[in-house]
Amino acid sequence: MSEESDSLRTSPSVASLSENELPPPSAPAGYVCSLTEDLVAKAREELQEKPEWRLRDVQALRDMVRKECPNLSTSLEDAFLLRFLRARKFDYDRALQLLINYHSCRRSWPEVFNNLRPSALKEVLASGFLTVLPHTDPRGCHVLCLRPDRWIPSNYPITENIRAIYLTLEKLIQSEETQVNGIVILADYKGVSLSKASHFGPFIAKKVIGILQDGFPIRIKAVHVVNEPRIFKGIFAIIKPFLKEKIANRFFLHGSDLNSLHTNLPRNILPREYGGTAGELDITAWNAVLLASEEDFVREFCQPGPPCDSILGQALPPEGLSSEVPCDDSMRAMKSQLYSCY
C-alpha cells in the first residue's frame, strides 16, 4: 500500500495525532467481518481498507461525528459507519460528508423517506417495476433490474417508484459483499411513452441523482440500458448534466442488441427476457426478502425524530436536493427535449 493511500485515513481533525495516539478501537455492536479472504484482498486494493486498521478507522469517524456533528441523529455502530468509509475509500472527511448528506437527503424529501417500509409499497413491488436478479455478475455485483413500463402513472405517483428503489438499495447495502463489490443496474425502457417519461423531469432527476452520487453509501459500477426508444435520448439529456463524469462513463446503451448486453452481463445470470439462460424473470423472491425486513425498516424509517435543523445544523443537502418547486422554464425545456426525440 502506498504512503498516499495510507494518508487518505487522515483528516484535519485527526492529522495531528500519530497512529499510536488515535482513539482505541471500539466495538459496541460486536462487529465481526463477514468478508471472504478474496473480498478482504479486494477491499484492501480498491478501497484502501486494511483489516488491521479497520476498527481504528471506524473509531476515528465516530469521534469526528461526535465532535463536529454532535446533533446528528445517526447510528454509530461499527457496521453502519463502515458503509460510509468503504464508499469513500476510507477518507475520513469524505466519509463524514457522505454520512451528513445521507441524513440530509432523508430529511429533505419526506415524500420519499417518511414511512419507508416494504408493506407500504406492496403495489409497486407487485407491479414488477423492480427486482434484484438472483445471481451476481462475474465481479460479484448484484443486478438491480428496473422496468419502467410496468408503472401505471394513474395508480400511484412516481415517488412511489423512487421509494421502492431506495428501499432496495438500503437492503442491498446491508451486505458487506455489496459494500465492497457495488451493484449494477439493468434498466429496460421497452414501451416507455412520452407521457410516462414526462413524469421524470429535471426536479426529480436532480434529486434522485444527488442521492445516488452524494447521499448514499453504494458503489454503482455500471448502468446498462436496453430496449430504449427514441424518447430515451430526451430522458438522458435531462439526466446527463447532473452526472459526474465517472458515473456518466458507466452508462451503456444497448438498444435491442442483447449480444451487446451479454458482453457485459453473461447469459447465465440473465433471465430469458434478456436472452439469458437463468429461467423466467421472477420478482417474488426479492419481494419476499424485502417484506421479511419490515421490522428493520419500521425501526429505521418510521420512528418520530427531532426537527431537521436540530439534527443537521448548518449542513445543506447535496446539489439538487433542495425542496424548491421546479420552475416553469425548466419544465418547458424538459418537454422540448422530449418532443424533439419524436
Side-chain angles (χ1 to χ4, degrees), residues 40-270:
V40 168
K42 183 176 182 178
R44 182 188 290 270
E45 178 182 353
E46 296 185 9
L47 307 182
Q48 323 306 330
E49 177 175 348
K50 291 187 174 182
E52 62 272 23
W53 286 5
R54 187 185 291 125
L55 292 181
R56 187 205 75 168
D57 292 333
V58 169
Q59 184 62 42
L61 178 57
R62 183 183 293 118
D63 288 345
M64 289 178 69
V65 173
R66 287 170 173 162
K67 179 180 179 181
E68 300 180 26
C69 307
N71 295 322
L72 186 67
S73 180
T74 184
S75 170
L76 294 176
E77 293 182 357
D78 293 346
F80 182 76
L81 294 179
L82 263 174
R83 302 176 189 180
F84 297 87
L85 285 165
R86 284 170 173 153
R88 292 298 181 261
K89 298 186 177 181
F90 282 76
D91 181 318
Y92 297 161
D93 289 316
R94 295 176 65 228
L96 176 62
Q97 188 60 56
L98 178 61
L99 178 63
I100 293 170
N101 291 350
Y102 172 82
H103 287 286
S104 179
C105 292
R106 287 172 53 171
R107 308 236 170 230
S108 68
W109 206 358
E111 302 95 323
V112 169
F113 296 105
N114 284 357
N115 194 36
L116 186 67
R117 53 194 173 91
S119 63
L121 292 165
K122 285 184 177 180
E123 187 174 7
V124 182
L125 299 178
S127 74
F129 168 77
L130 91 171
T131 193
V132 173
L133 301 187
H135 305 291
T136 60
D137 78 354
R139 297 177 296 179
C141 303
H142 279 291
V143 181
L144 170 59
C145 181
L146 302 176
R147 297 186 294 171
D149 69 302
R150 296 304 182 104
W151 171 49
I152 301 175
S154 60
N155 287 353
Y156 49 81
I158 192 172
T159 49
E160 292 298 284
N161 293 330
I162 297 168
R163 280 160 58 80
I165 293 172
Y166 195 89
L167 192 82
T168 290
L169 294 179
E170 283 282 356
K171 185 61 184 176
L172 285 173
I173 204 60
Q174 290 177 2
S175 163
E176 290 197 277
E177 289 81 0
T178 299
Q179 293 169 26
V180 174
N181 290 327
I183 67 167
V184 166
I185 296 174
L186 171 60
D188 182 358
Y189 275 84
K190 182 179 181 179
V192 174
S193 63
L194 173 64
S195 61
K196 187 174 290 187
S198 66
H199 289 267
F200 194 72
F203 178 66
I204 297 290
K206 286 182 68 175
K207 290 174 83 73
V208 171
I209 292 169
I211 291 172
L212 294 179
Q213 291 188 143
D214 299 309
F216 195 84
I218 201 161
R219 307 173 71 205
I220 299 177
K221 305 301 291 183
V223 179
H224 296 285
V225 181
V226 296
N227 298 321
E228 68 274 18
R230 286 183 297 170
I231 188 63
F232 188 80
K233 294 179 181 179
I235 297 174
F236 197 65
I238 295 169
I239 295 174
K240 194 169 183 180
F242 310 127
L243 293 173
K244 295 179 179 178
E245 183 179 2
K246 181 173 71 173
I247 296 295
N249 290 337
R250 293 177 180 177
F251 270 75
F252 302 92
L253 309 183
H254 302 283
S256 59
D257 184 2
L258 294 181
N259 289 328
S260 172
L261 175 66
H262 298 159
T263 62
N264 296 274
L265 296 177
R267 297 178 66 218
N268 66 326
I269 74 165
L270 292 171

